[in-house]
Amino acid sequence: MIWPVVRASWSADPMQEFNRLYGDMDRLFGNRSERLTFPRINVWSNQDETVVSAELPGVDPKDIKLTVKDNDLTIEGERTSEPLAESDIQVRRERPTGRFIRNLRLPFEVEADKIVARYEHGLLKVRLPRREATKPRKIEVAVG
Amino acid sequence: MTTTCKETCEPAETVMAEASPRIERPVYEPAADVIEKPDAIHVLLDLLGVDQKGLDVTVEENVLRVHGTSAIAQDKPESPIHREFETCDYERSFRVATDIDAGRISASIKNGLLRLVLPKKEKEKPQKISVRTE
């Protein structure tokens, strides 16, 4: 009897098939999982500071609240929806609205009073300088 | 096989290079809200990083086309630790079913949100017809 060879391509990694399936789903639905997160953020960091940028188009900068506690940064606020009159017809609605909150843990503690936040053309950029006391120090080795 | 691919790809690359001398950036479709009001159609588009200079709105044969070039420079810092988006340009077209007055379209952009107001042509406004009884 001849068995069809169906499992020949399976690798030792059991997650590979799941990852492939996720990839297929993303292609099929246009990577929706990413779109559900609001706002989307980018984070960079080096020895001295962390920079966080967030996509917040159409949000009044006054409605954005930033809080820092130890090394936790919280970005919260509200994106208001367009007020509709009774005679208006909403033909298409793709822009997410409502309250949002994102919390992230920074790689180190920051100087809370030296944080600079700028909002320009819908992009929020926050620079968080590292607390001096937590910076790595070079220790001289004395001989003798 | 390789030679055939090279032959077909090369002319296309030349055309692309001529068409876009700027730095290559991905172009995405922006999210949109469309609201039809009795006298106009309002279109809201999320165009992050786009200002007045980078905006191009055209209407041709009932197709509304919006192109936005982001003014935000591509970030290239040393160590990204988390990435969810990239700087991009935007392009989206809409077919407008209602007759709109192309000459009176107004566009305003604030905080990365574009608002287009497309006024309907006079005849498209609903008219009340009074019914007489004899």
Side-chain angles (χ1 to χ4, degrees), chain B residues 2-133:
Chain B
T2 329
T3 11
T4 338
C5 179
K6 240 184 173 173
E7 274 166 13
T8 36
C9 292
E10 263 172 5
E13 274 170 13
T14 329
V15 172
M16 285 294 284
E18 281 168 5
S20 56
R22 286 175 296 127
I23 319 143
E24 251 185 57
R25 263 204 294 221
V27 179
Y28 288 136
E29 273 198 352
D33 282 359
V34 180
I35 298 155
E36 186 166 353
K37 289 180 185 279
D39 56 345
I41 297 165
H42 289 226
V43 181
L44 304 178
L45 288 154
D46 280 340
L47 298 176
L48 188 104
V50 180
D51 57 7
Q52 230 148 356
K53 278 180 271 171
L55 190 67
D56 183 31
V57 182
T58 52
V59 180
E60 203 181 341
E61 287 175 0
N62 273 355
V63 174
L64 169 75
R65 184 184 152 274
V66 179
H67 184 92
T69 309
S70 176
I72 295 166
Q74 194 86 44
D75 272 311
K76 275 189 186 149
E78 37 215 298
S79 50
I81 51 173
H82 185 77
R83 278 189 84 90
E84 290 174 357
F85 68 92
E86 54 189 327
T87 309
C88 64
D89 292 339
Y90 302 92
E91 166 103 39
R92 192 154 178 184
S93 301
F94 299 89
R95 188 166 289 278
V96 188
T98 325
D99 263 345
I100 53 156
D101 195 342
R104 290 198 298 131
I105 293 173
S106 68
S108 60
I109 193 155
K110 193 189 170 198
N111 295 339
L113 173 70
L114 171 71
R115 178 186 296 270
L116 291 169
V117 179
L118 306 120
K120 290 180 187 173
K121 273 187 185 162
E122 286 300 316
K123 60 172 184 184
E124 284 297 320
K125 284 186 189 170
Q127 280 166 1
K128 198 167 182 176
I129 296 146
S130 50
V131 182
R132 279 181 302 171
T133 42

Side-chain angles (χ1 to χ4, degrees), chain A residues 2 6-7 12 25 34 43 58 61 64 75 81 98 103 115 123 129 132:
Chain A
I2 301 164
V6 277
R7 301 202 168 185
M25 299 279 273
E34 255 185 30
V43 185
I64 304 168
I75 303 169
S81 55
N103 211 321
I115 296 168
L123 184 81
E132 210 56 48

Side-chain angles (χ1 to χ4, degrees), chain A residues 43-46 49-52 71 104-110 130 134, chain B residues 81:
Chain A
V43 185
W44 298 276
S45 193
N46 60 19
E49 62 169 1
T50 296
V51 180
V52 178
N71 56 348
L104 62 142
R105 176 145 297 178
L106 304 165
F108 37 69
E109 282 186 33
V110 293
R130 185 172 187 169
T134 67
Chain B
I81 51 173

